[in-house]
Amino acid sequence: MITRPRRLRRTPAIRNMTAETRLSPSMLIYPVFVREGHNIIEDIPAMPGQKRYSPDTLPRILECAAKSKIGGVLLFGIPEHKDECATSAYDENGVIQQAIRTAKREFPGLTVIGDVCMCEYTSHGHCGIIRDNDVDNDATLDVLARIALSQAQAGAEIVAPSDMMDGHTAAIRSALDSNGLTSTLIMSYAVKYASAFYGPFREAAGSAPAFGDRKTYQMDTRNSREAVKEALLDVDEGADIIIVKPGLAYLDVLQKVKAAVNVPVASYSVSGEYSMIKAAAERGWLDEKKVSYEAAVSMARAGADIIISYFALELAHSL
Ligand code: PBG
């Protein structure tokens, strides 16, 4: 008798039972933009469907996030006041600190993650302190540690440094620990490429660099072994979760990083990935729901334990 492998695709129930990859709402993180002001909900033209909220209107979207049972929200602050040194990023009453406090007060069960970076808060739009027309890595570490500490003190359970400075995780860990915040987690953007896919985000957050680019501190698209090095360094410094960013165009990197580290790995499906699908769907060229699902599955298949996506609420709803 000849035995042969049988197809596993007979019925939807069997397909579900034998699927190698599963998505769940709990693995999704939804990024939210919070700007200074009152009673504001404004559209972001380059990201149709995404909005900027002021701290007082923020609960409206957080309620959707809490109801959808997603893993958490990643908050980005957009301040009124910008200066050379990003002082508004670590102001106790800054926009991000207000947002975090509001979120924890209104939805204590919703995990709140603060994006730790300087670019939304600096007048020059770079992610660090500028010296001789470039970002000064070591001078920036102190500021990042202050920002992370202020977010943790406001109630963020997780801080997510997205600056790409060497040594940021160690600097933040030591600031948190020496202030008694030993259980605050660090989700490090350890592997972040200098990507044109961030275009819509820079409009959303008003964080485009006023001169030059981010290629001296973000990664070179052509490299992936370097990604493993960056990830291992951050794990060594105490990162609890590692982010690989962007998502779709870097699935090979995600797979390599996942194989190399022993902490959860997140894939950040960035603004450009969202806007591409939205734009094609608006024209009737793609099915938004199916394509966004397929993209998310591909990240999980490549090894993502967590997916950060602007489609998080819709995905959670359809799962
Ligand atoms: C801040 C930051 C950026 C993104 C997340 N954090 C922008 C950048 O590095 O220019 C991009 C997110 C997205 O495109 O969705 N450093």
Side-chain angles (χ1 to χ4, degrees), residues 229-255:
K229 174 183 151 193
E230 292 274 5
L232 291 175
L233 274 174
D234 267 27
V235 170
D236 210 40
E237 289 178 24
D240 302 286
I241 300 168
I242 291 291
I243 302 178
V244 175
K245 179 182 171 184
L248 270 192
Y250 296 84
L251 295 181
D252 59 322
V253 177
L254 181 67
Q255 196 166 29

Side-chain angles (χ1 to χ4, degrees), residues 47 76 115 117 119-120 127 162-163 189 192 197-199 201-202 207 214 218 245 268-272 310:
M47 300 178 72
F76 290 94
D115 183 89
C117 196
C119 63
E120 300 103 303
C127 305
S162 65
D163 48 275
Y189 293 71
K192 179 174 176 184
F197 282 102
Y198 309 150
F201 174 95
R202 292 180 187 173
S207 65
R214 303 213 205 287
Q218 297 183 346
K245 179 182 171 184
Y268 194 144
S269 183
V270 302
S271 56
Y310 300 95

